[in-house]
Amino acid sequence: MDHTTTLIIAGAAFFFAGAVKGFAGIGMPTAAIALMTLFLDPRTAIALVLFPMIGSNAWQLFRAGYLRRTARRYALFAFVLLAGVALTVFATQNTGDRALLAFLGLVILLFVTVSWRGLVPPLPARYDNAAQVGFALFAGVVGGMTAGWGAPLAMYLATKQVDKEEFVRASGFLIFVGSLPLCLAYIQLGFMTGPLAGLSAAMLLPTLIGFSLGEVFRNRLTGDGFRTAILVIFVLMGLNLIRRAIWYG
């Protein structure tokens, strides 16, 4: 695939993924990687998503406000997530494309499952520290392999029954924190090369344009129909990734 075609495909994928994130607060790497793996290998797709993931979540966190309060509230989750992502990336660096496709497909289906309300029971506040550790470990493994830990993060926040704005603040902070060791590990392992880094940085622009559009939907619409359409698309992408993993190559 030539550079221009790759640029167009990636730009369209990140615009859509940014819109999903602007609306839902999560799902950008999951959407972008699922779309790009239709044309690129999983490691390249994950490398491309790193700078847009860092930039869009920094922007989301800045716009949401209350940074110090958010950092204090979710410090334990962030610390465990940092360690989990870093360890998982190095432990799974030799994992094949077929396994990555299958795992990503399963994560997408999990993301869809927990995105419907009422599927995760609330936990009493006295169990919050244990919940942070458990879900952060889960998120670290998922994020270290696929760069998309929206599902375990959404599950944890569902146990706390947070409102929409708190969900956006917490998810922005925790995805930003977790994306830093993932990016550094990909550079260290050679998965993020110079050309890929430049292309990844360029994808921040369509991501933020899509993000701004998604925010309009989040602020002005109830979004039930839009959310349902997104989840249906994710189901199809997840099933297709699993299909490709079974019949890979």
Side-chain angles (χ1 to χ4, degrees), residues 14 28 45-59 176 179-180 182-184 186-187 192-205 207-208:
F14 278 102
M28 189 281 288
I46 293 172
L48 286 176
V49 85
L50 292 177
F51 288 154
M53 182 162 62
I54 292 171
S56 63
N57 282 287
W59 180 244
F176 173 77
S179 65
L180 297 178
L182 183 62
C183 184
L184 292 175
Y186 260 60
I187 294 172
M192 172 69 90
T193 62
L196 279 179
L199 185 56
S200 178
M203 290 303 102
L204 185 56
L205 179 59
T207 301
L208 292 179

Side-chain angles (χ1 to χ4, degrees), residues 7-8 21 28 39 62 66 75-76 89 92 96 99 120 128 167 169 174 189 206 208 220 224-225 236:
L7 190 64
I8 293 172
K21 180 165 184 60
M28 189 281 288
F39 309 95
F62 171 75
Y66 300 100
L76 180 58
V89 174
T92 62
V120 181
D128 185 60
F167 185 95
R169 282 192 292 269
L174 292 171
L189 293 170
L208 292 179
R220 298 185 180 180
D224 289 340
L236 295 176

Side-chain angles (χ1 to χ4, degrees), residues 6-169:
T6 302
L7 190 64
I8 293 172
I9 291 172
F14 278 102
F15 174 79
F16 173 77
V20 171
K21 180 165 184 60
F23 179 79
I26 57 174
M28 189 281 288
T30 304
I33 293 170
L35 289 172
M36 287 190 296
T37 51
L38 295 173
F39 309 95
L40 304 171
D41 66 272
R43 292 292 186 192
T44 299
I46 293 172
L48 286 176
V49 85
L50 292 177
F51 288 154
M53 182 162 62
I54 292 171
S56 63
N57 282 287
W59 180 244
Q60 177 174 316
L61 186 59
F62 171 75
R63 289 177 61 82
Y66 300 100
L67 175 56
R68 290 183 181 179
R69 188 185 73 181
T70 303
R72 288 196 301 268
R73 183 171 294 175
Y74 302 104
L76 180 58
F77 195 115
F79 177 79
V80 176
L81 178 64
L82 277 166
V85 168
L87 291 173
T88 300
V89 174
F90 285 100
T92 62
Q93 61 181 288
N94 296 319
T95 302
D97 288 350
R98 176 177 287 183
L100 286 175
L101 287 171
F103 193 69
L104 178 59
L106 292 172
V107 168
I108 289 175
L109 296 181
L110 178 61
F111 171 80
V112 172
T113 301
V114 301
S115 294
W116 268 291
R117 297 178 180 177
L119 297 180
V120 181
L123 286 177
R126 64 181 180 274
Y127 298 125
D128 185 60
N129 285 344
Q132 288 201 42
V133 172
F135 282 109
L137 285 172
F138 184 22
V141 173
V142 172
M145 288 190 69
T146 70
W149 50 88
L153 176 55
M155 292 169 69
Y156 165 67
L157 293 175
T159 68
K160 293 177 66 66
Q161 297 183 308
V162 300
D163 60 28
K164 180 176 67 174
E165 298 308 318
E166 178 67 10
F167 185 95
V168 170
R169 282 192 292 269

